[in-house]
Amino acid sequence: MTGRREVIVVGAGPIGLTAALLLADAGVRTTLVEKATEPGDLPRAISFQDESFRTLEQLGVADALKAESLLDTGSRYFGLGDRLLLEARPVASRLGHPAKTQFDQPILERLLWERAVAHQGLEFLRGAEVTAITQDGDGAGVTVTTVEPAGDGTRTLTADWLIGADGGRSFVRRAAGIDLVGTTQPQRWIVVDLLNEPRPREPFAEFHGDGKRPYVLVPGVKGRLRIEFMLFDHEDPDEMTTPERIRELVVPRFRAELAPDDVRRAVVYVAHQRVARTYRAGRVFLVGDAAHLMPPFAGQGLNAGIRDAANLAWKLVEAVDGGATERLLDSYEAERRTHGAAMVTVSRRIGAVVMATHPVLTRVRDTAVRALGLIPRVRDFLANMRFITPPDHAAGVVVAPVGHGVALDAVTVGRALSQPVVRDATGAARGLDAHLGRGWTLLQIGGPPGPAVDTAVDAYWEAICAKRLCVRAPGGETADGTVVEATAVLTPGVGAHPVFVAVRPDRYVAAVFDSAGERRVVEGLRAFVDDRSRRAHPRPRTRTSGSPTPAHH
């Protein structure tokens, strides 16, 4: 790629790859810069959520990752004497994918890396390190040093926008003058990733707070197993990760035998509980670990990063196309930082429960958990993992209902749109996402066939290239531009008149309205995406190969 880029992404871990691919698929001239020359091979993150799969579905790699993952998993929490205190499963997903899954990060990185290498619209610079950044009111620049056969090469790249996806030690974050706020967990943990697990295990991550040496056990597929052990202050991390000490930890308690090739890796980590003071500095944005570092106990780190990438990517597409206001760009931090900080807090609290070793505190903990389990509402809250709350963008890029307004039973402004299975005019049954646009979508729920919006302001939806789609209740007639739900999910609560749902490119609901309320909705959305400055003919968008993942509930 020659000349000025539109977006530069620094860091090709799973978050940077996701952001770059979403941008490139939208036709944005994107350059991805990565110091490594091959995808990462360390199994760091291990838990994957439904919303993350929804994003991968847009990139065409969801099915391939599912084939290598343990789907629909839960969690079990054990106390003293290995007594089961709580068994938890997340609420059944309404997004069309397994609510919680145990996956293998190297497989995810390879799938995304290979797609990035093959993407004709993405410049992927491997073996290249960013050593300086600059920015002004018109754009951002990076100095890139590469190691080439002929020797070191240094050049400057410029773009309209810069994304720092370069991990917890982010150079971009430091160069942009953004600091981290928070603390570092004093407890250290050994992570032991094993292969060739001889016996199948139930699909549960196990948290064992035995009061002696707390540990976590997470099964995978194809003989993969992770065991994490808490270290004590007097233990030396180098000694504790020697083959001899790893064998003492694993055999015979977890495995009858342990061959050297069975140990994929053994490392010591210290969990940080930190959030970037700001996610944006002018033309520079942070995503993933560059923006937030959290303990692993809630399995939210990588999932939060994928949410960051999906949230930011569509807003930068609007910026490149000329329609984004400053309010839209500022909404990235408003929508993502609050939820990211909340997930850091949840992760820290779960860790505090698991890591207790004081005899009195562990007994009090076990008694309290058992007592709380006797209260139906609390038991439901814990058993369905409702403490891991989904993002709510009600204070972000939305137009809130006024007064009693128009409402649908299963659609909430500011929340992710549910994904039912729908049937189209060909008779094919697929998830709704397969019929949504890559940009905005205007759904008509119920009412007579054909468009029913006010033509006086209808031009707004055309100007922002919103795709039109009518969703009908089970038993309805299909036609071009119309799909019918297999099971009523979005249609309950709709009356004789149509209700419209404005769906953002990241599948979040921006507004619910009827024909009478459309003008107010358009005026509200125009404060974020201004059709009057947006380019009239947007760039061509890349379609992924690979079939959409079927939705389920």
Side-chain angles (χ1 to χ4, degrees):
M1 186 180 293
T2 58
R4 187 183 180 94
R5 286 85 177 155
E6 289 170 328
V7 179
I8 295 172
V9 181
V10 180
I15 310 307
L17 285 162
T18 298
L21 287 168
L22 288 170
L23 289 164
D25 279 355
V28 173
R29 294 196 305 275
T30 305
T31 295
L32 177 59
V33 184
E34 169 56 42
K35 183 161 44 174
T37 57
E38 298 291 338
D41 62 354
L42 295 179
R44 295 186 176 96
I46 200 168
S47 186
F48 214 68
Q49 289 188 293
D50 49 1
E51 190 174 359
S52 298
F53 269 126
R54 192 176 205 176
T55 300
L56 293 194
E57 184 176 41
Q58 294 186 57
L59 300 179
V61 299
D63 284 340
L65 183 62
K66 287 179 180 179
E68 294 282 348
S69 302
L70 187 63
L71 307 178
D72 284 315
T73 61
S75 299
R76 286 173 174 161
Y77 299 87
F78 297 84
L80 296 175
D82 238 15
R83 179 176 177 178
L84 180 64
L85 300 177
L86 174 68
E87 180 173 301
R89 280 188 177 274
V91 176
S93 174
R94 58 183 184 82
L95 304 186
H97 300 278
K100 182 173 176 283
T101 289
Q102 307 308 147
F103 82 113
D104 191 61
Q105 183 168 329
I107 292 175
L108 170 63
E109 292 199 41
R110 187 178 70 249
L111 289 169
L112 294 172
W113 184 285
E114 289 174 352
R115 188 164 187 273
V117 169
H119 201 299
Q120 295 183 352
L122 175 62
E123 181 185 37
F124 191 1
L125 304 181
R126 288 148 284 171
E129 182 177 6
V130 172
T131 55
I133 69 170
T134 60
Q135 66 166 314
D136 55 29
D138 296 323
V142 297
T143 300
V144 176
T145 301
T146 59
V147 178
E148 302 171 340
D152 291 343
T154 300
R155 55 178 168 153
T156 299
L157 311 178
T158 57
D160 297 329
W161 307 97
L162 175 64
I163 298 176
D166 48 341
R169 299 177 181 177
S170 172
F171 173 81
V172 172
R173 183 185 64 231
R174 288 182 279 113
I178 302 173
D179 60 342
L180 290 172
V181 180
T183 61
T184 296
Q185 176 181 292
Q187 296 87 354
R188 300 164 299 164
W189 285 72
I190 303 175
V191 178
V192 182
D193 283 292
L194 301 178
L195 300 172
N196 307 315
E197 174 65 9
R199 59 191 176 100
R201 291 182 177 270
E202 293 185 89
F204 288 89
E206 299 180 4
F207 298 82
H208 293 260
D210 61 4
K212 299 176 182 177
R213 186 189 292 277
Y215 68 93
V216 179
L217 188 151
V218 185
V221 298
K222 299 184 177 180
R224 302 185 192 114
L225 178 67
R226 169 173 292 185
I227 312 177
E228 304 180 12
F229 302 93
M230 196 174 84
L231 281 185
F232 298 114
D233 292 343
H234 67 276
E235 292 177 322
D236 178 76
D238 292 332
E239 179 194 354
M240 293 299 294
T241 51
T242 61
E244 295 76 20
R245 296 307 300 271
I246 295 300
R247 182 178 180 80
E248 291 175 9
L249 289 170
V250 173
V251 179
R253 187 175 185 182
F254 303 99
R255 295 272 284 267
E257 297 180 355
L258 187 68
D261 291 344
D262 291 343
V263 181
R264 190 177 185 186
R265 73 162 184 161
V267 296
V268 171
Y269 74 86
V270 175
H272 299 283
Q273 301 150 168
R274 301 178 184 272
V275 181
R277 192 174 297 278
T278 178
Y279 281 21
R280 179 190 180 192
R283 298 250 167 183
V284 178
F285 295 84
L286 303 179
V287 296
D289 285 355
H292 44 74
L293 296 168
M294 60 187 73
F297 300 104
Q300 291 297 299
L302 181 136
N303 293 286
I306 292 180
R307 289 190 181 107
D308 296 342
N311 188 291
L312 177 61
W314 75 266
K315 294 171 182 177
L316 290 185
V317 171
E318 291 291 350
V320 168
D321 283 342
T325 65
E326 279 299 306
R327 189 175 173 187
L328 178 71
L329 296 174
D330 286 341
S331 74
Y332 166 62
E333 176 170 328
E335 291 185 345
R336 289 300 310 137
R337 191 177 186 279
T338 299
H339 188 258
M343 292 302 97
V344 170
T345 300
V346 169
S347 299
R348 183 180 67 245
R349 289 174 177 171
I350 294 175
V353 171
V354 174
M355 292 185 297
T357 56
H358 191 283
V360 175
L361 293 180
T362 51
R363 285 196 296 272
V364 170
R365 174 202 64 193
D366 289 9
T367 301
V369 172
R370 287 195 293 270
L372 290 171
L374 298 176
I375 305 172
R377 180 177 295 182
V378 175
R379 184 174 64 247
D380 177 72
F381 178 82
L382 296 174
N384 290 290
M385 299 179 72
R386 296 183 188 276
F387 47 86
I388 299 180
T389 56
D392 185 345
H393 300 332
V397 186
V398 303
V399 180
V402 175
H404 295 290
V406 178
L408 289 171
D409 293 347
V411 179
T412 303
V413 173
R415 293 291 184 97
L417 180 73
S418 296
Q419 182 179 192
V421 173
V422 296
R423 180 171 49 85
D424 59 21
T426 69
R430 296 186 291 175
L432 178 64
D433 284 5
H435 300 277
L436 300 184
R438 281 197 170 274
W440 288 83
T441 301
L442 183 61
L443 295 180
Q444 175 183 318
I445 313 294
V453 291
D454 183 352
T455 55
V457 291
D458 181 52
Y460 179 79
W461 308 110
E462 182 178 353
I464 67 171
C465 303
K467 181 176 179 178
R468 300 288 197 90
L469 185 68
C470 181
V471 181
R472 300 209 171 281
E477 293 294 326
T478 60
D480 289 342
T482 299
V483 294
V484 176
E485 290 187 304
T487 302
V489 174
L490 300 178
T491 52
V494 70
H497 299 288
V499 175
F500 300 95
V501 180
V503 184
R504 306 179 348 174
D506 60 355
R507 311 306 196 220
Y508 277 75
V509 176
V512 177
F513 58 98
D514 59 10
S515 296
E518 185 193 14
R519 186 179 297 275
R520 183 184 67 84
V521 167
V522 168
E523 290 174 352
L525 290 180
R526 192 171 273 148
F528 299 101
V529 179
D530 194 334
D531 56 309
R532 296 164 297 190
S533 59
R534 201 174 191 268
R535 78 171 62 182
H537 302 289
R539 65 199 73 246
R541 298 176 186 270
T542 302
R543 298 233 177 237
T544 60
S545 52
S547 58
T549 304
H552 62 87
H553 301 278

